[in-house]
Amino acid sequence: MIEPVQLPAPWRDARLTVVVPTYNEAGNLPVLVERLLALPLPGLKILVADDNSPDGTGEVADKLAIEHPNRVEVVHRAGKEGLGRAYVDGITRALDGGADYVAQMDADLSHPPEALPGMLGALLSTQAGVVIGSRYVPGGELDENWPLYRRALSGWANLYVHTLLRVRIRDLTAGFKIWRADALRDIGLHRVQSNGYSFQVEMHYLATKLGHTILEVPIRFEERRDGLSKMTTATKIESALMPFKLRSKHRNLER
């Protein structure tokens, strides 16, 4: 586990909301919340967007919200509509709640919470609209326990999307990042079509088309510690088709 960067005031007091979509993450969520709240970021809040998890994740999130009032908030969604819809809902609520910066991360402990202060510092010290915690820039790592087929799928997906969309990001499918609120408002979440994991690609594509600077910093990506991957065949099909839809729909989009 890395040591979090100690940011100077007033950076460490930034109003940062971490949006965490959940579906059957009852075992991982308390660990993630504990690690996030231990960071030297007193302005950090957590917004859990739960898709009515049958394993009781929503109830676990409610208990965490009671234990940490004003720092943990829970959005209970009607059912499993996909990662993209959960993020659109959660990010919209974070912006409406006054967040100046919004982070995205998975609940499965694959993204190191301790990297957030450094990512926030990189955002605040540059003109970037978003900072990505990247597996594929120099210094980035993949857990040695990550299955070979997942490595191959991730590498192929990035190459495939690069070829179709010409977006100059090494980790196009990354799900760990911090956005400036202004960049998110400029992108306009109403434009987002994706339901599944292609949400990540779509957001990067829209940010690029609108001229926002995207910065990648290295992280170590861990294999999930508990539960199962949510990647389904339908999700893979949506991800394969989405670049064609994006290229067509947003062809004339510019700032």
Side-chain angles (χ1 to χ4, degrees):
M1 189 182 299
I2 64 173
E3 284 293 321
V5 171
Q6 298 289 329
L7 296 177
W11 287 7
R12 63 171 172 258
D13 300 316
R15 291 187 298 179
L16 169 66
T17 297
V18 183
V19 177
V20 183
T22 57
Y23 187 78
N24 288 350
E25 298 288 358
N28 290 321
L29 186 61
V31 179
L32 176 62
V33 168
E34 179 182 4
R35 288 171 64 179
L36 283 170
L37 294 181
L39 297 175
L41 298 173
L44 181 149
K45 294 184 179 180
I46 303 165
L47 193 153
V48 179
D50 184 65
D51 276 4
N52 197 23
S53 300
D55 75 340
T57 302
E59 289 79 4
V60 170
D62 285 337
K63 291 179 182 177
L64 291 168
I66 293 171
E67 292 171 9
H68 305 285
N70 302 317
R71 297 206 71 187
V72 179
E73 179 183 352
V74 186
V75 175
H76 293 282
R77 293 164 44 77
K80 190 177 181 183
E81 298 180 70
L83 183 73
R85 293 301 95 197
Y87 263 131
V88 167
D89 193 355
I91 292 173
T92 299
R93 290 171 185 261
L95 294 175
D96 290 345
D100 293 321
Y101 309 95
V102 179
Q104 297 175 227
M105 68 186 305
D106 293 345
D108 62 7
L109 304 176
S110 58
H111 300 144
E114 294 74 21
L116 275 173
M119 292 168 63
L120 180 60
L123 186 73
L124 292 171
S125 61
T126 66
Q127 297 301 311
V130 59
V131 170
I132 297 172
S134 176
R135 298 163 288 185
Y136 301 129
V137 293
E141 297 181 77
L142 286 171
D143 190 321
E144 57 274 10
N145 294 318
W146 216 40
L148 182 60
Y149 80 91
R150 293 282 303 279
R151 291 171 181 262
L153 179 62
S154 177
W156 177 84
N158 273 279
L159 176 62
Y160 174 75
V161 177
H162 272 295
T163 302
L164 290 174
L165 298 182
R166 306 293 184 184
V167 178
R168 299 180 67 181
I169 302 173
R170 294 200 181 190
D171 198 347
L172 263 168
T173 59
F176 187 30
K177 66 201 79 171
I178 301 180
W179 296 89
R180 290 184 186 271
D182 289 346
L184 289 168
R185 292 191 182 98
D186 186 42
I187 288 169
L189 294 172
H190 63 278
R191 290 193 177 106
V192 177
Q193 305 175 58
S194 304
N195 293 324
Y197 288 85
S198 57
F199 170 82
Q200 313 293 5
V201 172
E202 183 168 10
M203 290 292 287
H204 295 153
Y205 183 64
L206 290 170
T208 299
K209 291 283 285 183
L210 289 168
H212 292 284
T213 299
I214 299 173
L215 179 64
E216 292 183 84
V217 299
I219 63 160
R220 175 179 170 80
F221 183 88
E222 302 284 349
E223 173 65 308
R224 69 159 43 244
R225 299 187 184 181
D226 186 37
L228 300 173
S229 171
K230 311 303 187 301
M231 182 72 75
T232 65
T233 299
T235 299
K236 293 174 184 176
I237 292 172
E238 183 201 29
S239 298
L241 294 177
M242 185 55 65
F244 294 98
K245 295 180 181 179
L246 293 178
R247 196 168 59 178
S248 174
K249 180 176 177 60
H250 302 304
R251 180 178 288 110
N252 299 317
L253 180 66
E254 59 183 22
R255 175 167 290 178

